Amino acid sequence: MELSVIIPVFNEEETIDELQEALFRNLRDLDRSWEVIFVDDGSRDSSPDKLEKIVDEDPEHFLLICLRRNFGQTAAIAAGIDHATGNIIVLMDADMQNDPADIPALLEKIDEGYDVVSGWRIQRKDKFFTRTLPSRIANGLISWVTNVKLHDYGCTLKAYRREVLTGFRLYGEMHRFIPAYAGYVGARIIEVPVKHHPRRFGKTNYGLERTLKVILDL
């Protein structure tokens, strides 16, 4: 397997069908083998049922992992990485604020020789004071402490060569720091602008307390 796309899911029943269609539309014409791994993180809505239907209809390309309860995004990502078989691993959110149409651009940079390609949401569609401003503060702190300079550590949409994801375990909110871990072992890292759409369904699972957790992990 050449490409594994890992997507944590928590109460995203309204977006799942659109997400699956967008993934298939943007991945089917890639000149490489691919799989999408959905990790249901203890959803309390119909997300698991919808995901199971997708996997039943196309088991060649879609895989579902169901966690027994809500463990958090980092644990869900770690479970997805453990089950992924691709040489390249792409992480993204399930709420359709990340755009699957950006995946080919990330892969182009991997093909150019980069080990980590980090999405940069230049035009964020989140509330400024509760999401965007705290994120900018956290990005500045992380870049200063780790000396791995990125504008948008909080953007889940990133592509990694598999080898830079080995040798450490994820916990807390530590998936945000994967580029820093990779930088420590000499990975070549680049940022690319990606689209960011407003959330159309449900509500965000993250607030100001998320920034505090990230700072504590840092």
Side-chain angles (χ1 to χ4, degrees), residues 22-76:
L23 286 164
F24 190 80
R25 183 171 61 250
N26 288 283
L27 297 178
R28 64 185 175 185
D29 295 328
L30 293 177
D31 187 23
R32 65 186 85 208
S33 56
W34 58 272
E35 65 180 359
V36 174
I37 301 175
F38 293 112
V39 184
D40 183 78
D41 188 23
S43 294
R44 295 184 291 270
D45 61 4
S46 65
S47 295
D49 295 332
K50 288 193 169 188
L51 294 171
E52 187 171 340
K53 182 180 179 182
I54 290 172
V55 173
D56 288 342
E57 292 176 350
D58 190 358
E60 178 183 356
H61 291 119
F62 295 93
L63 172 69
L64 173 61
I65 301 168
C66 288
L67 304 185
R68 292 183 179 272
R69 65 170 177 84
N70 180 238
F71 287 92
Q73 190 175 13
T74 296

Side-chain angles (χ1 to χ4, degrees), residues 77-93:
I77 287 174
I81 292 173
D82 286 344
H83 287 80
T85 58
N87 295 321
I88 300 169
I89 293 178
V90 170
L91 308 180
M92 67 176 295
D93 290 329

Side-chain angles (χ1 to χ4, degrees), residues 44 76 95 137 140 217-218:
R44 295 184 291 270
D95 57 13
I137 294 171
D217 281 335
L218 179 62

Side-chain angles (χ1 to χ4, degrees), residues 101-171:
D102 286 318
I103 294 177
L106 303 185
L107 299 179
E108 286 181 9
K109 292 299 181 182
I110 292 287
D111 291 340
E112 289 177 13
Y114 291 97
D115 303 299
V116 179
V117 186
S118 181
W120 178 8
R121 299 165 294 179
I122 294 179
Q123 296 182 332
R124 288 191 62 168
K125 305 301 180 179
D126 293 322
K127 294 180 179 179
F128 180 78
F129 287 106
T130 59
R131 296 293 306 280
T132 303
L133 180 59
S135 179
R136 289 180 181 176
I137 294 171
N139 288 325
L141 285 171
I142 296 170
S143 295
W144 176 58
V145 172
T146 66
N147 204 34
V148 177
K149 310 296 185 183
L150 291 179
H151 293 89
D152 198 354
Y153 270 91
C155 181
T156 302
L157 184 57
K158 292 178 170 63
Y160 302 90
R161 292 189 188 274
R162 185 180 189 88
E163 54 264 30
V164 304
L165 295 176
T166 60
F168 57 87
R169 299 297 301 175
L170 298 175
Y171 61 91

